[in-house]
């Protein structure tokens, strides 16, 4: 779910919802699925912004191209500060996934502008592969994000092989801001304990999770009653710890009534190993010890295991 602000101006008598469908040009057909392209590597590290060379060109499925397998580019994390880019081969109902990922995209028409409140990321690179070559697909977009539809067929595929494409060495850490907006309130309101949105959804990884950067903040009340935050440390969780954390978060019970302010909150941006995601998890490590994933999971109670997991990991410079 994404908060959207829309402005529409039109002199036309036809009624429009402010959007139009489009399909990108056909993707280039190349000999092999390449997960070492600079833009893919940087998307998987989710660190410094470097667009690199986007070759082969992403796009729609070329006419007459019949895929027999899928290759997904993923980050595999080592000891917490190093990793590799892997080319993961997937088999199964490839046709169902190809149909879902080849759907038209949606964008604002020329009379409409949108302002989007939340970020959503698609997988860094998805290739459809046939005996004649490989094509890098564009994940279909919607206003303020991407379609969730292809995620179910993708998760139904089965891994058939994994090849190390590139050794990254030290991973550029996800940048923690010096302060952030606290989503947890002492008066959460009636709707914040609602269950997660229907899964699967791109913003909420709930099966396998990329090693997360935990940004820990000291929290104090300002003279105006707002929350003042200051960054105190950054750590990187392992992929296994990140996956276990999300399973605990999703299973956590609704938060108990409480009005004790937390003095420390940990914020983590949630991504899959393929780079997709974008949800933000916030966990109080003291006070009411609650958690929330903004716009996806309402107020839940943070267990001892959850707090131990968000405090684990390797310190980052």
């Amino acid at each position: 779910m994404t908060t959207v602000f829309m402005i529409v101006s039109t002199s036309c008598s036809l009624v429009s919802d402010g959007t139009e469908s489009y399909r990108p040009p056909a993707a280039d057909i190349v000999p092999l699925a390449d997960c070492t392209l600079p833009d893919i590597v940087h998307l998987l590290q989710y660190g410094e912004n470097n667009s690199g060379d986007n070759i082969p060109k992403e796009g729609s499925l070329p006419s007459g191209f019949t895929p027999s397998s899928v290759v997904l580019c993923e980050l595999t994390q080592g000891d917490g500060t190093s990793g590799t880019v892997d080319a993961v081969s997937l088999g199964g109902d490839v046709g169902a996934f190809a149909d879902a990922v080849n759907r038209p995209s949606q964008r604002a028409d020329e009379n409409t502008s949108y302002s989007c409140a939340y970020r959503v990321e698609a997988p860094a690179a998805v290739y459809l592969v046939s005996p004649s070559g490989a094509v890098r697909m564009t994940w279909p977009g919607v206003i303020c994000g991407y379609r969730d539809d292809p995620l179910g067929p993708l998760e139904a595929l089965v891994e058939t092989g994994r090849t190390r494409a590139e050794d990254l060495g030290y991973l550029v850490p996800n940048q923690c801001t010096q302060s952030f907006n606290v989503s947890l309130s002492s008066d959460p309101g009636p709707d914040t304990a609602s269950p997660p949105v229907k899964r699967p959804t791109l913003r909420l990884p709930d099966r396998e999770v990329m090693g997360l950067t935990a940004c820990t903040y000291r929290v104090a009340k300002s003279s105006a009653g707002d929350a003042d935050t200051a960054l105190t440390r950054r750590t990187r969780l392992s992929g296994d710890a990140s996956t276990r954390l999300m399973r605990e978060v999703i299973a956590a019970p609704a938060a108990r009534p409480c009005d004790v302010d937390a003095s420390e909150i940990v914020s983590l941006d949630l991504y899959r190993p393929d780079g997709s995601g974008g949800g933000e998890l916030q966990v109080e490590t003291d006070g009411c010890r609650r958690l929330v994933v903004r716009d996806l999971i309402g107020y839940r109670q943070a267990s001892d295991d959850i707090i131990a997991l968000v405090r684990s990991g390797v310190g980052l410079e």
Side-chain angles (χ1 to χ4, degrees):
M1 297 176 63
T2 304
T3 302
V4 178
F5 303 95
M6 180 175 70
I7 301 173
V8 180
S9 60
T10 179
S11 59
C12 179
S13 60
L14 297 177
V15 176
S16 170
D17 65 357
T19 67
E20 62 183 16
S21 293
Y22 72 99
R23 188 181 293 275
D28 292 337
I29 301 176
V30 294
L32 297 170
D34 185 359
C35 289
T36 67
L37 300 175
D39 69 313
I40 297 174
V41 172
H42 283 281
L43 284 169
L44 289 175
Q45 292 187 73
Y46 60 97
E48 295 177 357
N49 183 22
N50 185 335
S51 60
D53 298 321
N54 191 10
I55 302 172
K57 183 181 69 178
E58 293 182 350
S60 299
L61 192 67
S63 177
F65 188 91
T66 304
S68 55
S69 64
V70 175
V71 169
L72 200 63
C73 300
E74 290 189 351
L75 173 68
T76 298
Q77 195 164 312
D79 62 1
T81 59
S82 64
T84 63
V85 175
D86 292 347
V88 182
S89 298
L90 304 171
D93 193 348
V94 174
F97 172 66
D99 289 343
V101 80
N102 197 43
R103 289 187 60 182
S105 291
Q106 183 187 60
R107 63 189 174 195
D109 64 27
E110 62 181 8
N111 297 313
T112 309
S113 63
Y114 290 85
S115 177
C116 303
Y118 299 114
R119 183 178 63 187
V120 185
E121 301 291 348
V126 178
Y127 289 92
L128 296 180
V129 182
S130 81
S132 62
V135 294
R136 184 177 172 187
M137 296 296 295
T138 297
W139 196 277
V142 293
I143 302 299
C144 296
Y146 296 92
R147 291 191 184 276
D148 290 331
D149 312 59
L151 189 57
L154 179 62
E155 292 184 343
L157 299 177
V158 178
E159 182 174 331
T160 58
R162 181 179 291 262
T163 303
R164 177 172 294 184
E166 184 167 345
D167 189 343
L168 298 175
Y170 179 76
L171 294 173
V172 178
N174 189 29
Q175 299 300 312
C176 298
T177 58
Q178 290 302 310
S179 63
F180 80 118
N181 293 322
V182 177
S183 296
L184 292 147
S185 167
S186 58
D187 182 19
D191 299 326
T192 53
S194 59
V197 297
K198 182 180 179 181
R199 301 193 304 272
T201 180
L202 274 173
R203 284 190 63 224
L204 182 65
D206 61 351
R207 294 181 57 177
E208 189 176 6
V209 186
M210 181 187 287
L212 301 175
T213 299
C215 308
T216 302
Y217 295 90
R218 182 180 65 252
V219 183
K221 281 290 184 69
S222 69
S223 57
D226 300 322
D228 284 338
T229 61
L231 180 68
T232 58
R233 65 180 180 272
R234 296 184 303 161
T235 58
R236 187 188 293 280
L237 280 63
S238 70
D240 287 344
S242 299
T243 300
R244 284 189 284 119
L245 170 63
M246 279 310 300
R247 289 173 181 166
E248 292 281 344
V249 165
I250 290 167
R256 299 184 293 268
C258 178
D259 59 1
V260 180
D261 293 329
S263 65
E264 183 180 80
I265 294 178
V266 182
S267 174
L268 310 95
D269 290 333
L270 306 173
Y271 296 96
R272 296 174 184 81
D274 63 17
S276 62
E280 181 193 5
L281 168 65
Q282 293 185 11
V283 181
E284 296 174 326
T285 62
D286 60 6
C288 292
R289 301 197 351 159
R290 302 163 301 172
L291 64 88
V292 68
V293 180
R294 294 181 60 191
D295 203 36
L296 290 171
I297 295 180
Y299 282 48
R300 304 290 179 90
Q301 199 66 48
S303 65
D304 291 342
D305 286 343
I306 288 174
I307 292 174
L309 283 167
V310 299
R311 285 176 167 167
S312 69
V314 178
L316 299 171
E317 295 297 331

